[in-house]
Amino acid sequence: MAQQKLTDRTFGLAFAAIFSIFATVGWLAFGVIVGWLLIGSGLFLAIALIAPGALLPFNRLWSILAGRIHRVVNFTLLASFFYLLILPFGLIMRLFGRDPLKRTPVPKTATYWHPVTRHTDETTLPDMF
């Protein structure tokens, strides 16, 4: 599903909010009033409310930049999640001989089917939907 693009007005209001949040954090955390953030926030707010069509080139440029950032960050996060969490967990399970899917072949068994021990009726599934 394609992601819905921001309208120009929403884009301007979002950037005004982001700039004002950064200015507030700078003031509360460091005691520094960052003037260019306040000016940028005011400009984006004024343009978004008065003439949102003027933000169209910035909105398109931001969409292109965000798409490229998304490709890098998505790959980096997924790779780090896999190599820092999934892989060590699997190696530890393999080291201790755990096989939850029971994939090891047993030559003396007649079948690999396991009997189902759970039952399903109206008491176990009270409200499926």
Side-chain angles (χ1 to χ4, degrees):
M1 183 162 97
Q3 184 163 346
Q4 184 178 358
K5 292 186 178 185
L6 291 176
T7 63
D8 298 332
R9 181 167 301 202
T10 308
F11 170 76
L13 293 175
F15 267 79
I18 289 170
F19 284 169
S20 63
I21 288 170
F22 282 148
T24 304
V25 167
W27 177 58
L28 291 176
F30 305 109
V32 177
I33 298 174
V34 185
W36 66 270
L37 284 174
L38 292 174
I39 292 171
S41 174
L43 281 174
F44 271 105
L45 181 65
I47 294 172
L49 294 176
I50 296 170
L55 293 173
L56 177 66
F58 298 110
N59 192 358
R60 293 224 175 124
L61 186 68
W62 176 253
S63 296
I64 293 169
L65 181 64
R68 291 184 181 167
I69 290 172
H70 162 71
R71 285 190 196 118
V72 173
V73 170
N74 186 29
F75 176 75
T76 306
L77 286 178
L78 285 175
S80 62
F81 177 75
F82 178 77
Y83 287 114
L84 295 176
L85 294 175
I86 304 296
L87 182 69
F89 188 72
L91 290 176
I92 290 171
M93 284 179 61
R94 185 173 285 197
L95 181 69
F96 287 112
R98 176 107 195 266
D99 188 18
L101 296 177
K102 296 176 179 53
R103 294 173 297 163
T104 56
V106 181
K108 295 181 182 177
T109 59
T111 180
Y112 286 106
W113 287 93
H114 297 286
V116 177
T117 58
R118 65 187 183 278
H119 69 283
T120 304
D121 58 6
E122 60 273 356
T123 60
T124 59
L125 303 171
D127 189 15
M128 267 184 81
F129 303 104

